[in-house]
Amino acid sequence: MIALTACGQGAATSGSATPAQDQTQAQNAPSNEAETDAQSGVDFLRGTANSNKADQNSGDRAPESAPAEVKQKWVELRAGNAGGLEPAVVNGKGLSVYWFSDDPVNGGVSKCNGDCAKTWPAITVTKGTRLFFPGIRRENIGFIKRQDGQLQVTIGGRPIYLFNKDKKAGDILGQNVGGKWFVINPEGKRAVPKAEATKPDQPAPGGKPASSVTFFSGKNQKDFGDSFAVGVKVEAKCADLRGGFQSLSPDGAVKIWSEPGCKGKSAVVSGPVDDTSAAPIGFPEGVKSYIRA
């Protein structure tokens, strides 16, 4: 959901500068300290795997043959687009994330074990795993213990999985398999096509004020090649961005401006934005400042 306001309606004064204009300036951005979960020992960090300089040969991008301890170095759960479903949760490789209707919500168990788990690999973590979650509220993420003793991630109380036939970003071959498997959204519900998700009779995803947001220098939440991303806290004080950012992924409602100091044209967004220069936002130079909505 997006709400636009007229030019000149800005917040008071600009806060300290945050995301840098290129990767060489990343050291000028605020430090991203990990929040360690007391139950699991998992380290939660704002931003993406790339913006946190995660090892590209481990975690979600490790080879399929890699041992569990390598795959569990880091996990990314990002709000984005999965085969036209938006917002949907994808991992650090862009693969769609699913939930299983046989699993009881907040039940603390997974009903997919043995051969089922070979087709639907559980997303698991261990103590020391770095978990990046751009666009997902921290309180929506939890953990359960599986039959094999592994710690599985949950979103909205639902254990989450991948599908072994999905091979590339955007694949949703597991959607509606057996009428029981569905791509999950950041709230732990069924992800739906973007047009359906924004119908007036449905609540806006992430309607609460944002606590964090990830800004991307390129369109379509691109975090590789000549683009980069930075995750920041969102507070009730205007903060500037160095340069203009072309897409973003907040974990709730955030107000953005076309000029520094929370001036110029503004918009309130509560979900992923792939192109800030396009209608209805229309920021040709990208986002340059922001504040909690």
Side-chain angles (χ1 to χ4, degrees), residues 10-19 30 209-213 215 232-241 253-257 259-263 288-293:
T13 59
S14 170
S16 59
T18 44
S211 59
S212 67
V213 59
F215 290 98
V232 297
K233 287 183 178 179
V234 183
E235 300 177 328
K237 180 180 180 181
C238 181
D240 286 345
L241 297 163
V254 61
K255 192 168 186 179
I256 54 176
W257 272 270
E259 301 297 336
C262 291
K263 297 179 181 178
K288 295 188 178 179
S289 55
Y290 62 94
I291 195 171
R292 183 183 299 156

Side-chain angles (χ1 to χ4, degrees), residues 193-280:
K194 186 173 183 179
E196 184 178 339
T198 55
K199 286 182 180 178
D201 60 345
Q202 293 190 349
K208 298 179 181 178
S211 59
S212 67
V213 59
T214 300
F215 290 98
F216 300 84
S217 64
K219 298 177 183 179
N220 302 312
Q221 302 171 64
K222 182 181 176 184
D223 188 22
F224 52 88
D226 57 355
S227 183
F228 68 99
V230 176
V232 297
K233 287 183 178 179
V234 183
E235 300 177 328
K237 180 180 180 181
C238 181
D240 286 345
L241 297 163
R242 294 196 183 114
F245 285 74
Q246 298 298 321
S247 56
L248 64 146
S249 181
D251 69 356
V254 61
K255 192 168 186 179
I256 54 176
W257 272 270
S258 61
E259 301 297 336
C262 291
K263 297 179 181 178
K265 188 177 181 180
S266 68
V268 174
V269 300
S270 55
V273 175
D274 289 333
D275 183 2
T276 59
S277 66

Side-chain angles (χ1 to χ4, degrees), residues 54-64 66-67 70-71 73-74:
D55 182 356
Q56 299 297 295
N57 296 311
S58 66
D60 290 346
R61 296 173 191 165
E64 289 187 16
V70 174
K71 294 180 178 180
K73 290 288 185 182
W74 59 267

Side-chain angles (χ1 to χ4, degrees), residues 99 103-108 156-159:
W99 60 275
D103 289 340
V105 182
N106 295 314
R158 298 183 186 275

Side-chain angles (χ1 to χ4, degrees), residues 93-169:
K93 202 174 179 179
L95 296 177
S96 303
V97 176
Y98 297 85
W99 60 275
F100 182 33
S101 63
D102 280 2
D103 289 340
V105 182
N106 295 314
V109 296
S110 165
K111 298 289 188 178
C112 181
N113 298 281
D115 288 342
C116 175
K118 295 177 183 178
T119 302
W120 302 93
I123 295 179
T124 60
V125 293
T126 190
K127 183 178 180 180
T129 297
R130 303 173 78 202
L131 198 158
F132 313 111
F133 54 109
I136 302 175
R137 297 190 71 84
R138 167 65 183 86
E139 61 264 31
N140 287 340
I141 301 175
F143 308 93
I144 63 165
K145 183 171 283 189
R146 295 179 52 77
Q147 282 185 2
D148 60 6
Q150 292 282 312
L151 206 59
Q152 183 172 0
V153 184
T154 65
I155 295 179
R158 298 183 186 275
I160 56 175
Y161 309 81
L162 301 174
F163 183 46
N164 68 0
K165 292 184 179 179
D166 285 349
K167 298 301 182 183
K168 64 182 186 300

Side-chain angles (χ1 to χ4, degrees), residues 30-45:
S31 61
N32 190 12
E33 294 184 1
E35 173 201 338
T36 302
D37 180 71
Q39 173 196 357
S40 63
V42 169
D43 293 330
F44 284 80
L45 291 98

